[in-house]
Amino acid sequence: MSPSIKDVAVRAGVSVGTVSNVLNHPERVTENTRAAVLSAISTLGFVRNSSAAQLRAGTSRSLGLIVLDLSNPFFHDVARGVEHVADELGYAVVLCNSDDQTARENRYLQVLEEQRVRGVLITPIEVSSDRLDALRRRGTPAVLVDRHDPRVNCCSVAVDDVAGGELAGAHLVAQGHERIVYYSGPPNLSQCADRLTGLRRAVASAGLDPDEAVEVVEVPVMNARSTHDLARARFADGDDTPGAFCANDLMALGVLRAALSTGRRVPGDLALVGYDDIEFAADAAVPLTSIRQPTQQIGRAAAQLLVEECDNPETHAHQQVMFKPELVTRDSTTPE
Amino acid sequence: MSPSIKDVAVRAGVSVGTVSNVLNHPERVTENTRAAVLSAISTLGFVRNSSAAQLRAGTSRSLGLIVLDLSNPFFHDVARGVEHVADELGYAVVLCNSDDQTARENRYLQVLEEQRVRGVLITPIEVSSDRLDALRRRGTPAVLVDRHDPRVNCCSVAVDDVAGGELAGAHLVAQGHERIVYYSGPPNLSQCADRLTGLRRAVASAGLDPDEAVEVVEVPVMNARSTHDLARARFADGDDTPGAFCANDLMALGVLRAALSTGRRVPGDLALVGYDDIEFAADAAVPLTSIRQPTQQIGRAAAQLLVEECDNPETHAHQQVMFKPELVTRDSTTPE
DNA sequence: ACTCGTGAATGAAACGTTTCACGATCTCCA
DNA sequence: TGGAGATCGTGAAACGTTTCATTCACGAGT
């Protein structure tokens, strides 16, 4: 078995309390004894048992973060933001990937609660989850990431998707395109629906009729291949709509490839706007105009809200933070 | 404070030992008492305190996984493989991202050891790390991922990079290209060096002189943009080498864009091979021929080795597993 | 010489589990 | 009827920390 604080105490000729003080309150201990204890620690190779420490202390300094999909750069950046703030404030982050499976999400919530994390950051699969409600009822604060709670029962941090759609729409209209295809994901995803709302709003405020100017194409799986296949079929059928807006960049890359391989010039024949501004957007065959979300900031803000709630449970007031997205213009809409 | 096993015991009218049995050995307990205990648990909203459990049990059922860079799809897939196996064997995985910083790597090693994880899977920044040696000396098994230990002191799982380079080289030569540019990363990375070795070997065994047929271009940062800039400059200078092999797919995408934008046809004027077969390779402007590594399998194998060592510490013999990469042929080398 | 105050170290209690040797109760059969 | 098993449940000990009231040692001030 690995040596305990007791072994260290014996070796250094002091009591266990003193060893603990060296570890946690070095200033309470004399230079000499501290040195003796530290040397005992290193010769024995002592490593503190955090289970015991946390059991006694009753509370941990760690946060749980449950994201939908770590392979999505969006969530990866969010996580980075969270870790950064947590680091600064002396919290550890337990990173969990629910992979869009309710079973996994629930399991992780259970594990995090058993570990007595101070709080949880989560992009839930369903906005209202019994498991999550129970957690919060028992006193573990939670913050929603990239989602809003319809009943405003906890803090949340998200991005204004309507505004994002509006940015894209306004940009396309400003380039003179009066007909736009919107490649959407499943319409029950609020992100997809909101972006469409924004797009239609932009079109309307340019004096066009949204019902005529905007055509919605629902793509079942929001990836490049699936979108490519759909778009290619449309192009083969003679689709010559001059503008396209995609619910994410991967989809836009699919449309781009379909367009180029059917002899269309981008942006000459087709102006294309994506969403998310993923790293590769700038490096695509035609660099992609996209809507950038402040991903790291989302993570940072969420972590700050959570820690604030953990530290001041009584005075805390729930907040719904909403960031604004930003248009990044590249070759896919603006001729060089 | 949240209710403890004691509160549950009182509520259900049984002893704490019985509650513990319901939790851990349900078969030792009568149908009736089990029901009573479970109902007490749910009305009180009891959640087991894993610190206490682990403290008493002395050992945990969790593994640590430290990767270099979670934003790299390669490591993401490895992690997926690890989680899958761990799940099956009833282990939890603590996922850590060292982000290529020694300080972070050391901090995580410390945390994992304090948590008394059963074992650690790691892609270390330096192959020989004092911190890691110490960990293993104190009895926590470790397995190297995507690295080999020169002193064969622990298990490791990696991919044969020489073979990968050879595959790429043989393929390009078979297509009739007798001059090849190798876009390499920093040559002190064994991955880059090994792939070059393989490439030269393939060229040589086709009867060509490697020194003449292979030109090495060192790209300082292994991403798309940096490679694009370098390649574009070369193309502008009139480079007309018919074959190119890149140390990873992002670099290949950079070369691809540079080639297309300077009017070259791919594969007509330039045949291009990448490495890693990242998800986007198939969806690039010209779908990319690439060398696929069995990423998930790496993770699975590593996890299996680790668990094996954890379960049979005495009989265990260290193994160095080496996977073979695979050529995936797409349009960037084969005319349609 | 005596007390007081201060700073350092002590040691026992407590945290919430799991474990295990030990009772209690019941069943079955001689 | 009695005793041997088998089956359930009990309760105290133990895990390795942290905390905190207490003790100790040592100078300074009267």
Side-chain angles (χ1 to χ4, degrees):
Chain A
M1 224 37 246
S2 47
S4 79
I5 216 180
K6 211 163 170 176
D7 303 313
V8 174
V10 170
R11 174 101 190 190
V14 299
S15 72
V16 293
T18 302
V19 177
S20 173
N21 277 334
V22 170
L23 260 28
N24 304 296
H25 309 278
E27 77 285 359
R28 293 191 191 160
V29 153
T30 298
E31 185 83 32
N32 285 334
T33 50
R34 194 187 327 156
V37 169
L38 287 177
S39 114
I41 285 179
S42 83
T43 65
L44 290 176
F46 165 81
V47 177
R48 175 216 258 105
N49 182 326
S50 62
S51 296
Q54 183 171 322
L55 170 59
R56 167 63 226 214
T59 171
S60 75
R61 275 192 85 78
S62 56
L63 308 176
L65 169 60
I66 306 183
V67 298
L68 277 187
D69 176 11
L70 263 187
S71 65
N72 186 331
F74 175 83
F75 287 112
H76 184 263
D77 281 350
V78 169
R80 211 177 266 273
V82 169
E83 280 189 334
H84 197 269
V85 169
D87 252 26
E88 273 174 3
L89 302 175
Y91 281 85
V93 176
V94 183
L95 186 54
C96 310
N97 186 4
S98 72
D99 237 341
D100 233 326
Q101 296 163 239
T102 311
R104 280 178 66 106
E105 177 178 295
N106 285 336
R107 191 145 46 82
Y108 277 126
L109 282 170
Q110 177 77 25
V111 169
L112 291 176
E113 198 170 3
E114 290 187 354
Q115 289 186 184
R116 299 292 191 269
V117 296
R118 272 298 260 302
V120 170
L121 298 146
I122 181 172
T123 304
I125 294 169
E126 305 277 344
V127 224
S128 41
S129 143
D130 291 349
R131 198 70 200 64
L132 186 59
D133 287 348
L135 181 94
R136 298 191 36 250
R137 227 177 301 117
R138 288 186 212 109
T140 305
V143 171
L144 264 38
V145 176
D146 198 35
R147 293 284 185 279
H148 276 310
D149 186 9
R151 319 148 299 169
V152 187
N153 275 332
C154 59
C155 288
S156 68
V157 178
V159 183
D160 190 339
D161 284 302
V162 176
E166 216 167 341
L167 279 175
H171 177 62
L172 284 169
V173 169
Q175 304 289 113
H177 309 300
E178 306 209 328
R179 280 158 43 235
I180 297 169
V181 174
Y182 173 50
Y183 290 88
S184 171
N188 58 326
L189 254 76
S190 68
Q191 332 268 337
C192 291
D194 288 354
R195 289 167 197 177
L196 173 58
T197 305
L199 174 61
R200 291 171 57 96
R201 186 178 297 173
V203 165
S205 67
L208 303 168
D209 175 1
D211 290 332
E212 289 204 353
V214 174
E215 179 182 1
V216 178
V217 175
E218 275 176 32
V219 184
V221 189
M222 297 175 71
N223 64 12
R225 184 161 336 210
S226 169
T227 314
H228 167 265
D229 294 347
L230 222 78
R232 188 166 184 135
R234 291 178 53 89
F235 292 146
D237 282 357
D239 174 15
D240 63 348
T241 316
F245 173 41
C246 298
N248 74 32
D249 280 346
L250 288 177
M251 297 169 71
L253 291 168
V255 172
L256 175 61
R257 181 149 65 92
L260 294 177
S261 68
T262 54
R264 284 165 175 74
R265 286 168 310 121
V266 173
D269 301 319
L270 176 69
L272 186 58
V273 179
Y275 212 105
D276 283 349
D277 191 31
I278 64 175
E279 205 186 339
F280 188 73
D283 290 313
V286 177
L288 217 58
T289 293
S290 189
I291 307 293
R292 176 183 297 165
Q293 312 198 59
T295 30
Q296 288 223 17
Q297 274 194 61
I298 296 173
R300 303 172 78 100
Q304 274 156 357
L305 284 176
L306 182 59
V307 170
E308 205 277 330
E309 181 168 0
C310 292
D311 291 349
N312 315 90
E314 307 84 11
T315 69
H316 174 84
H318 293 318
Q319 287 178 50
Q320 316 286 114
V321 173
M322 175 86 99
F323 283 109
K324 292 290 173 199
E326 182 189 348
L327 176 73
V328 181
T329 311
R330 297 205 186 84
D331 296 357
S332 74
T333 55
T334 54
E336 312 196 4
Chain B
M1 226 36 250
S2 46
S4 78
I5 216 180
K6 211 164 172 176
D7 303 314
V8 174
V10 170
R11 175 100 191 190
V14 299
S15 74
V16 293
T18 302
V19 177
S20 174
N21 277 335
V22 170
L23 259 30
N24 304 297
H25 309 279
E27 77 285 358
R28 294 191 190 160
V29 152
T30 298
E31 184 82 34
N32 284 335
T33 49
R34 196 189 326 158
V37 170
L38 288 177
S39 113
I41 285 179
S42 83
T43 65
L44 290 175
F46 165 81
V47 177
R48 174 217 259 105
N49 182 326
S50 62
S51 295
Q54 182 172 324
L55 170 58
R56 167 63 227 210
T59 171
S60 75
R61 275 191 83 78
S62 56
L63 308 177
L65 170 59
I66 306 184
V67 299
L68 277 187
D69 176 13
L70 263 187
S71 64
N72 186 331
F74 175 83
F75 287 112
H76 185 265
D77 281 352
V78 169
R80 211 177 266 271
V82 170
E83 280 189 333
H84 196 270
V85 169
D87 252 26
E88 273 174 4
L89 302 175
Y91 281 85
V93 177
V94 183
L95 186 54
C96 310
N97 186 3
S98 72
D99 236 342
D100 233 325
Q101 296 163 238
T102 312
R104 281 177 65 106
E105 177 178 294
N106 284 336
R107 190 145 47 83
Y108 276 126
L109 281 171
Q110 177 78 24
V111 169
L112 291 176
E113 198 169 3
E114 290 187 354
Q115 289 184 185
R116 299 292 190 267
V117 295
R118 271 298 261 299
V120 170
L121 298 146
I122 182 172
T123 304
I125 294 168
E126 305 278 343
V127 224
S128 42
S129 142
D130 291 349
R131 197 69 199 65
L132 186 58
D133 287 348
L135 181 94
R136 297 191 34 250
R137 228 178 299 117
R138 288 184 213 110
T140 306
V143 171
L144 263 39
V145 176
D146 198 36
R147 294 285 183 280
H148 277 311
D149 187 9
R151 318 147 299 169
V152 187
N153 276 333
C154 58
C155 288
S156 68
V157 178
V159 183
D160 189 340
D161 285 302
V162 176
E166 218 168 339
L167 279 175
H171 177 63
L172 283 169
V173 169
Q175 304 290 112
H177 308 301
E178 307 210 327
R179 281 157 43 236
I180 298 169
V181 174
Y182 172 50
Y183 289 89
S184 171
N188 59 324
L189 254 77
S190 68
Q191 333 268 335
C192 292
D194 288 354
R195 288 168 197 177
L196 174 59
T197 305
L199 173 62
R200 292 172 56 97
R201 185 178 297 173
V203 165
S205 67
L208 302 170
D209 175 2
D211 290 333
E212 288 204 354
V214 174
E215 178 182 2
V216 177
V217 175
E218 276 177 32
V219 184
V221 189
M222 298 174 70
N223 63 13
R225 184 162 337 210
S226 169
T227 315
H228 166 265
D229 295 347
L230 221 78
R232 187 166 184 136
R234 290 177 54 88
F235 292 146
D237 282 357
D239 174 15
D240 63 348
T241 316
F245 172 41
C246 298
N248 74 33
D249 280 346
L250 289 177
M251 296 168 71
L253 292 167
V255 172
L256 175 61
R257 182 150 64 92
L260 294 177
S261 68
T262 54
R264 284 165 174 74
R265 285 168 311 120
V266 173
D269 301 318
L270 175 70
L272 186 58
V273 179
Y275 211 106
D276 282 350
D277 191 31
I278 64 175
E279 204 186 340
F280 188 74
D283 290 314
V286 177
L288 216 58
T289 292
S290 190
I291 306 294
R292 176 184 296 165
Q293 312 199 59
T295 30
Q296 287 223 18
Q297 275 194 59
I298 296 173
R300 304 171 77 100
Q304 275 156 356
L305 284 177
L306 182 58
V307 170
E308 204 279 329
E309 181 167 0
C310 291
D311 291 349
N312 315 90
E314 307 85 11
T315 69
H316 174 84
H318 294 318
Q319 288 179 49
Q320 315 287 113
V321 173
M322 175 87 97
F323 283 109
K324 292 291 173 198
E326 181 189 349
L327 175 73
V328 180
T329 311
R330 296 205 186 84
D331 296 358
S332 74
T333 55
T334 55
E336 313 197 2

